[in-house]
Amino acid sequence: QVQLVESGGGSVQAGGSLRLSCAASGNIYRTYSMAWFRQAPGKEREGVAATNSDGRTNYADSVKGRFTISQDNTKKTLYLQMNSLKPEDTAQYYCAADPRTAYLLPPLDRGAYNSWGQGTQVTVSS
């Protein structure tokens, strides 16, 4: 069982930056995948960025060049640095994990992950 707790959300003006954190605890194996998803009101939950225990990364086209996913293994913490934020980035952001599998290309499909946090809200105003 893995527990994930997100933090760092908030309100920011367009063009601003935020850094989200996801603290993981529980049984995380040497090979794993983790990702950030987001869900705006009335929309499907979508993958934003993913990484794995090998350090590989994968990004949605909508955030490439603006968002960076990273991890601190000693702290068991996943990060999402979000720069040049746009109003369309407004959503509830969720951390997700598959604590046993390091996919060659970290997936952005929600079905690949079996552990989820409660989410943190990001609001970007124009």
Side-chain angles (χ1 to χ4, degrees), residues 33-39 44-52 56-65 67-70 78-80 93-98 101-114 116:
S33 297
M34 297 187 73
W36 288 98
F37 286 75
R38 67 185 180 187
Q39 188 167 18
E44 295 288 321
R45 189 172 298 189
E46 62 174 356
V48 173
T51 188
N52 66 13
R56 297 175 185 267
T57 58
N58 187 20
Y59 294 93
D61 288 343
S62 59
V63 306
K64 279 181 182 176
F67 290 11
T68 302
I69 190 170
S70 63
L78 183 72
Y79 301 101
L80 184 68
Y93 282 71
Y94 298 90
C95 177
D98 177 340
T101 307
Y103 298 94
L104 187 61
L105 179 64
L108 297 176
D109 299 324
R110 60 183 298 181
Y113 300 93
N114 50 26
W116 293 85

